[in-house]
Amino acid sequence: MTVGAQGAAPPAARPQSGLPDDTQAGPLIFLVAGEPSGDLLGARLMAALTAQTGGSVRFAGVGGAAMAREGLNSLVPIAELSVMGLLEVIPHLPRILGHLRRTVQAARRLHPAAVVTIDSPNFSLEVAKRLAGGGAPLIHFVAPSVWAWKPWRARRIARYLDHLLTLLPFEPPYFERHGLATTFVGHPAVEAPAGGDPRVFRQDHGIPQAAPLLCVLPGSRRGETARLLPIFRDTLALLRTSVPNLHVVVPTVPNVADDVAAAARDWSVPAAVLRDPAAKYDAFAASDAALAASGTVAVELAVAGVPSVIAYRLSPLTAFLARHLLKVRYVSLPNLLLDRAAQPEFLQDNCTPVNLAAALERLLTDPAARAAQKADAAAAVAQLTSGGDSPSQRAARCILDLIATGAPARNG
């Protein structure tokens, strides 16, 4: 259920000038989200802020389509910021740095009541760092994974951030020991909308009711899809022989939808590509299993109870560097929480069609295997809540409290 939908009037239409409506009452909150997962977090946060202020709040900053639906006209295109990898970002640096300068300049000009940066630490935390000492409290939503790699980042961001909102229960101590006020709000994936009727979904997309249905999620960045789509294509070719009448549904996001649709036309099994991000949850409800790129979607699939196989590949050099920096056994958050591979993971050289097909065949053909993973998923998801309120409601209340109490911003 989307935060803010309960009894709250929809926000009034806002002008599309790239700047907030100065005629509207309420604090101005400057938001920065640099990738699709952060865009969804930002949209839910905006809905909660709107609900808790009775609509007396204004927004400016950077976001994507989901945040636009809540009233934000992004200052820069989010698709041009969403680049993954240690080395992959280099060709895009001039454009990204230009967007960074424009974002910082806009925040300084607008004098917001608070600046909230969301996930995407390479971009959003650099924005926050450059705004330190500007008068507005700096709040970051989604802690950098210092428990996985680069532990020294906790001390670094504590020098300029005023508050940190974390998704995971074990994260606050990593930052509080450096003097950074931190609040665990819970993981927003737990507030994802429930999917619709599986029978209706299958009927609408021409999928036989009895056919095995695999949900394929190749990522939200072009670098991810470029590396994973050929592997996923070959995986499906293998599954076609072992899972009769297999059908595929592919939820995607706007910035990679054309690439995904073009690739899916060459697959050996029937594939329905969904261009509306909101349709993802209906696809989850109708699917028997999923093949997904590593990321937030692994948690979303666990919340939806969809047995899943997680895959990922970085460029060889980036992978070599990451292998020597990572301090965790797993990349899937449900696996990290449970400290075991409840969701099978296949990374880098292990991310092959043969490995993926074998793991998926088991989930698609063995009811006991599906039931076991669903039980594991429920155990992991239980650790991602904090109290009765939704994560977005808790985050919004924390931000509004900081504004109301006049929490001082640190000097840069």
Side-chain angles (χ1 to χ4, degrees), residues 200-212:
V200 172
F201 178 87
R202 286 175 176 247
Q203 182 176 335
D204 289 347
H205 293 87
I207 302 167
Q209 297 295 335

Side-chain angles (χ1 to χ4, degrees), residues 16-344:
Q16 296 300 303
S17 63
L19 299 176
D21 182 0
D22 289 335
T23 66
Q24 188 168 348
L28 170 63
I29 299 177
F30 194 92
L31 301 153
V32 179
E35 57 188 358
S37 59
D39 177 44
L40 182 57
L41 297 183
R44 290 177 178 156
L45 176 62
M46 290 170 68
L49 287 164
T50 299
Q52 292 183 24
T53 60
S56 294
V57 64
R58 297 173 295 145
F59 302 113
V62 176
M67 292 171 72
R69 288 191 290 270
E70 297 296 335
L72 180 76
N73 188 29
S74 183
L75 294 163
V76 302
I78 191 174
E80 296 186 4
L81 305 175
S82 185
V83 181
M84 183 70 173
L86 300 174
L87 301 177
E88 290 84 347
V89 72
I90 292 175
H92 305 278
L93 269 177
R95 184 180 66 245
I96 293 173
L97 290 174
H99 291 327
L100 176 66
R101 287 191 296 270
R102 282 188 284 277
T103 302
V104 170
Q105 289 167 0
R108 287 172 176 163
R109 184 173 68 252
L110 292 170
H111 301 290
V115 174
V116 182
T117 51
I118 305 169
D119 209 359
S120 188
N122 291 333
F123 184 81
S124 62
L125 285 178
E126 185 61 28
V127 170
K129 182 178 179 181
R130 295 188 184 200
L131 292 175
L138 301 176
I139 304 156
H140 188 66
F141 189 15
V142 184
S145 302
V146 298
W147 38 269
W149 72 320
K150 295 183 180 179
W152 44 264
R153 288 180 299 172
R155 180 183 291 107
R156 175 175 291 182
I157 67 172
R159 295 172 183 164
Y160 58 87
L161 287 180
D162 298 296
H163 207 97
L164 179 65
L165 306 174
T166 78
L167 309 188
L168 306 178
F170 57 78
E171 291 179 313
Y174 287 92
F175 302 91
E176 291 171 336
R177 68 174 59 122
H178 299 295
L180 177 57
T182 306
T183 301
F184 166 55
V185 298
H187 201 293
V190 302
E191 60 189 290
D197 187 328
R199 294 186 63 84
V200 172
F201 178 87
R202 286 175 176 247
Q203 182 176 335
D204 289 347
H205 293 87
I207 302 167
Q209 297 295 335
L213 182 59
L214 178 67
C215 188
V216 174
L217 301 119
S220 60
R221 306 177 183 93
R222 287 176 177 165
E224 290 174 329
T225 57
R227 284 185 290 273
L228 290 177
L229 282 170
I231 299 170
F232 287 6
R233 176 199 62 208
D234 295 344
T235 300
L236 295 173
L238 293 173
L239 282 174
R240 183 188 178 201
T241 63
S242 58
V243 184
N245 201 26
L246 177 66
H247 281 63
V248 167
V249 59
V250 194
T252 188
V253 293
N255 56 302
V256 297
D258 289 342
D259 295 339
V260 172
R265 284 195 287 269
D266 294 332
W267 291 353
S268 57
V269 298
V273 177
L274 308 180
R275 291 177 176 267
D276 178 4
K280 172 173 63 177
Y281 304 105
D282 294 335
F284 289 173
S287 296
D288 298 297
L291 169 61
S294 175
T296 304
V297 74
V299 188
E300 294 176 329
L301 289 164
V303 170
V306 184
S308 307
V309 172
I310 306 302
Y312 211 75
R313 270 197 183 180
L314 292 166
S315 69
L317 186 52
T318 299
F320 173 80
L321 295 173
R323 194 175 295 118
H324 289 78
L325 293 172
L326 286 174
K327 301 178 181 298
V328 292
R329 296 172 60 191
Y330 306 107
V331 298
S332 161
L333 180 54
N335 290 346
L336 284 168
L337 290 168
L338 297 172
D339 195 28
R340 52 192 170 84
Q343 290 176 328

Side-chain angles (χ1 to χ4, degrees), residues 370-392:
R370 289 199 298 274
Q373 195 180 129
K374 287 182 179 182
D376 287 338
V381 170
Q383 300 182 46
L384 297 177
T385 59
S386 176
D389 289 342
S390 73
S392 294

